[in-house]
Amino acid sequence: MLKLILPLVMLMKYMKVCSVVQIGLLIVSFMVGLMSYHDFYFYGIGFSLGIDSVSYIMILLSVWIMSLVLMASQKVKYSKNFYGSFIGVNLLLLICLLITFSSMEYMLFYISFEMSLIPTLILILGWGYQPERIQAGIYMLFYTLLFSLPLLGSLLLALNKSGSLVILLSQPFIYDSYLMMIWYFATVMAFVVKLPMYMLHLWLPKAHVEAPVAGSMILAGVLLKLGGYGLIRVLILFQFMGKESYWVWLSLGLVGGSLVSLMCLRQVDMKALIAYSSVAHMSLVLCGIMGFSWWGLSGAVVVMVGHGLCSSGLFCLANIVYERLGSRSLLMSKGLLSFMPSMGLWWFLLSVSNMASPPSLNLLGEINLIISVVSWSKLTMFGLVSLSFLSASYTLYMYSLTQHGLFFNSLYSCCSGKVQEYMILFLHWMPLNVLLLNSNLLLISSLIKMKCVKR
Amino acid sequence: MADTPGAIVERAAIKAALKREFRKQATNPHRHASGEGGALFDPALQRFMSMKATQYDYFKPTPKASFMGLMFIAVPIIGYGLLLKRDKEQQEMRIRTGQVSYADREFKFL
């Protein structure tokens, strides 16, 4: 782990030099990528930090997205808007995320989970564009903090009951009385609000819209996955309670996801549309994780990676449009295909991955999730039908509204598409559609581990 | 009264003046040459976007709004959840009391 954290801490010395940090982050992500063929079974990496398959995938995703974030935030550098502190805040966020994903203990995980909120808040408040960002920061902070205080209590109770909070040593708690359901909900709510689930999702459109492009990309790309990752870790303890209450999460996920997808179709703000689509994707992930099946778990991880890349890329595209047009309004950013034709390629590829069409990672993950959810009960097919159909419909709405037709007639001239932007979008798209060919790196299954051992 | 020839000509003159002003500002060569992008400021568009952005501030809980919230959000979620719960419990009871043979059981290896 030292090979990952030490370079990041040392990069903070070069906060003022943007190019060194960008190249350094790409090198760190390469080093993380080198670990991909390791036989993971809680590979201990020192400082009581450990990586297993899920952790490794999340660490790789977070380092990759962070390097793309720094590449996409060139405007902060050109407008000399405190870009040293900006890079420092981003690196601090990355360190918090690395510790979160590799902590082998629930308490360290909780502390770094909360710690990652603060750099995000600083990003939103410091480099956001609209005055509404104050409210957005408050919403994000208080939603997450309100539901994570019970999580602290329940972790302390777990420590009291079992003597240790090390994840490897955790045994499922025996479901003795109905009061333990309160314990279960207190624990799970913190992650479910981060994921986010339908009823508790109100912070997400605000925070995503008001954040600068870096904040939006890192929020959509990695911070939502903190909720999913936390659920995967914490549900080990609460297996019996989770079994009884799956129908709650399933219903909230499917019906809530469909309602949020309907909301997508009514948006006039590009970033709000992408933010609501994040909620819809994550609601399906929630259904997969809570179901305690191998297919659900692997589908959830694959969708988390695919959605991280896809949504982050779409926010990058929305920012590209915003830098030129000065507005995120869908009424103004229409007909972009005639305005920036080459960008239409990336709009198309990322939109098409957003609605889980082949050959994207989202498709693989959604297939797994649909199989796992339908295996629980056939009635879930109604919810899945509406979720999939509406997800295709709002993506098509967004693509055709932004790309097709005449462009807004009072636009002033601006540059078409910089090669750097194409590179960022290519680096978003490439893992999404090409990693599918080697998706055994992402699919989690004990069968695959057995295969490696036999060889 | 509004259809008198005088009124029609007057309205057409106002409209032509506005169009001329729009074309003059939208084709400003200095603004186009600077390459800063953006669009001509339209107060109506700005009002519309501000309205959409502050929609929640003007929300009033009326009986109709509460009814819509119940019917379209609470009832589907709770109803669908109870339906799923009941279906799963029936399925489990059928399997656990042996009414389904092992060959007929679905999704065994998931």
Side-chain angles (χ1 to χ4, degrees):
Chain A
M1 196 52 167
L2 212 52
K3 66 175 174 283
L4 302 176
I5 296 215
L6 207 57
L8 289 175
V9 171
M10 285 168 66
L11 273 177
M12 290 179 107
K13 184 189 181 314
Y14 294 96
M15 267 186 330
K16 305 269 185 193
V17 189
C18 206
S19 47
V20 169
V21 181
Q22 285 178 7
I23 296 175
L25 271 180
L26 281 172
I27 292 176
V28 169
S29 65
F30 173 66
M31 285 198 289
V32 176
L34 280 178
M35 290 160 67
S36 67
Y37 285 101
H38 200 279
D39 186 19
F40 284 114
Y41 183 64
F42 255 112
Y43 173 52
I45 46 177
F47 296 111
S48 71
L49 299 173
I51 309 186
D52 83 336
S53 311
V54 184
S55 300
Y56 171 71
I57 292 166
M58 292 292 126
I59 289 177
L60 186 55
L61 180 70
S62 55
V63 180
W64 187 247
I65 297 271
M66 188 53 86
S67 49
L68 295 177
V69 157
L70 284 185
M71 277 194 251
S73 307
Q74 290 298 316
K75 192 159 181 228
V76 176
K77 181 179 168 207
Y78 291 139
S79 53
K80 301 215 187 312
N81 193 7
F82 299 99
Y83 62 95
S85 323
F86 180 79
I87 292 179
V89 165
N90 275 318
L91 283 177
L92 181 63
L93 180 56
L94 184 58
I95 294 176
C96 295
L97 288 172
L98 286 192
I99 298 180
T100 315
F101 286 129
S102 59
S103 64
M104 279 173 74
E105 228 216 326
Y106 285 115
M107 201 46 84
L108 180 62
F109 170 76
Y110 174 76
I111 292 172
S112 39
F113 177 76
E114 299 301 312
M115 212 160 74
S116 68
L117 274 179
I118 295 179
T120 318
L121 183 70
I122 296 176
L123 270 180
I124 294 180
L125 289 181
W127 287 273
Y129 306 126
Q130 266 84 28
E132 283 86 14
R133 67 189 192 266
I134 304 176
Q135 198 194 35
I138 301 275
Y139 261 69
M140 183 186 79
L141 209 60
F142 280 95
Y143 262 74
T144 316
L145 290 178
L146 175 69
F147 288 99
S148 65
L149 189 59
L151 172 65
L152 178 62
S154 88
L155 284 180
L156 291 172
L157 180 59
L159 175 64
N160 200 3
K161 262 209 156 186
S162 53
S164 164
L165 280 182
V166 173
I167 298 183
L168 272 178
L169 299 174
S170 51
Q171 298 290 323
F173 294 127
I174 309 292
Y175 184 19
D176 286 337
S177 68
Y178 285 122
L179 279 178
M180 295 184 80
M181 266 303 191
I182 300 178
W183 189 7
Y184 167 70
F185 276 102
T187 317
V188 147
M189 278 309 209
F191 301 109
V192 136
V193 87
K194 191 92 183 162
L195 196 60
M197 193 179 69
Y198 170 63
M199 290 293 195
L200 309 161
H201 71 290
L202 223 44
W203 65 273
L204 187 126
K206 287 194 192 292
H208 275 75
V209 165
E210 305 301 335
V213 66
S216 289
M217 281 170 74
I218 202 73
L219 262 171
V222 190
L223 289 173
L224 298 187
K225 295 22 177 196
L226 274 178
Y229 176 78
L231 271 179
I232 293 175
R233 290 291 180 228
V234 135
L235 284 178
I236 304 172
L237 299 171
F238 295 104
Q239 287 173 21
F240 299 109
M241 291 77 121
K243 246 170 17 102
E244 308 293 323
S245 62
Y246 183 40
W247 57 276
V248 175
W249 312 115
L250 200 53
S251 164
L252 274 167
L254 295 178
V255 178
S258 313
L259 287 169
V260 156
S261 308
L262 282 171
M263 280 297 294
C264 265
L265 290 167
R266 293 281 298 157
Q267 292 306 318
V268 291
D269 184 343
M270 237 184 323
K271 281 175 94 167
L273 207 158
I274 305 169
Y276 275 107
S277 84
S278 290
V279 181
H281 281 126
M282 286 296 121
S283 61
L284 193 54
V285 166
L286 172 76
C287 296
I289 296 179
M290 294 289 199
F292 293 105
S293 63
W294 277 113
W295 282 67
L297 177 65
S298 73
V301 170
V302 171
V303 168
M304 286 203 280
V305 171
H307 168 263
L309 292 163
C310 193
S311 269
S312 171
L314 283 171
F315 275 117
C316 201
L317 276 170
N319 181 59
I320 287 171
V321 172
Y322 177 72
E323 278 177 3
R324 281 158 182 71
L325 268 55
S327 162
R328 297 189 304 260
S329 156
L330 278 170
L331 301 167
M332 217 190 270
S333 55
K334 63 184 179 86
L336 294 176
L337 207 51
S338 33
F339 197 53
M340 293 191 283
S342 302
M343 205 58 82
L345 169 70
W346 301 113
W347 272 103
F348 175 71
L349 286 174
L350 288 170
S351 299
V352 131
S353 304
N354 199 18
M355 65 167 143
S357 85
S360 69
L361 277 180
N362 280 329
L363 174 76
L364 175 64
E366 276 197 25
I367 287 178
N368 284 7
L369 286 171
I370 289 176
I371 291 176
S372 99
V373 163
V374 166
S375 77
W376 194 81
S377 159
K378 302 274 182 52
L379 279 185
T380 53
M381 283 202 249
F382 294 109
L384 286 170
V385 156
S386 70
L387 195 57
S388 293
F389 171 72
L390 288 171
S391 127
S393 70
Y394 66 67
T395 315
L396 283 174
Y397 173 69
M398 176 180 75
Y399 178 73
S400 66
L401 191 52
T402 53
Q403 304 303 108
H404 296 158
L406 280 177
F407 58 84
F408 198 58
N409 59 1
S410 60
L411 289 179
Y412 292 118
S413 305
C414 47
C415 72
S416 174
K418 302 180 199 147
V419 179
Q420 188 205 22
E421 292 164 350
Y422 295 145
M423 181 176 81
I424 300 168
L425 293 166
F426 170 76
L427 290 175
H428 271 114
W429 166 83
M430 206 251 313
L432 193 53
N433 274 357
V434 177
L435 200 54
L436 189 73
L437 298 171
N438 199 11
S439 51
N440 64 318
L441 291 173
L442 293 178
L443 287 171
I444 296 166
S445 165
S446 58
L447 295 171
I448 294 181
K449 274 195 202 123
M450 272 158 57
K451 258 195 234 157
C452 287
V453 165
K454 262 193 213 158
R455 199 165 24 94
Chain B
M1 190 188 83
D3 283 341
T4 57
I8 294 177
V9 165
E10 196 187 319
R11 280 202 305 268
I14 296 173
K15 200 167 163 190
L18 284 170
K19 267 191 186 168
R20 209 168 30 237
E21 188 59 35
F22 173 80
R23 274 204 212 102
K24 185 174 149 188
Q25 286 189 22
T27 54
N28 178 5
H30 303 287
R31 182 74 193 266
H32 279 280
S34 73
E36 69 173 282
L40 184 58
F41 179 70
D42 184 5
L45 189 66
Q46 180 60 50
R47 278 203 300 271
F48 178 72
M49 295 303 291
S50 310
M51 174 192 84
K52 282 288 188 174
T54 55
Q55 233 173 1
Y56 185 59
D57 298 336
Y58 298 100
F59 175 73
K60 271 200 291 260
T62 63
K64 181 180 173 193
S66 315
F67 174 73
M68 301 267 273
L70 267 178
M71 283 308 293
F72 288 106
I73 301 176
V75 162
I77 290 179
I78 299 177
Y80 194 49
L82 291 174
L83 210 67
L84 287 172
K85 175 171 182 257
R86 198 176 64 153
D87 178 62
K88 185 66 179 178
E89 279 170 0
Q90 283 172 353
Q91 201 184 351
E92 285 286 301
M93 198 182 63
R94 277 205 325 271
I95 294 177
R96 283 172 202 259
T97 50
Q99 295 164 24
V100 180
S101 73
Y102 190 67
D104 285 337
R105 266 187 68 189
E106 291 164 330
F107 300 108
K108 288 193 275 266
F109 303 113
L110 227 51

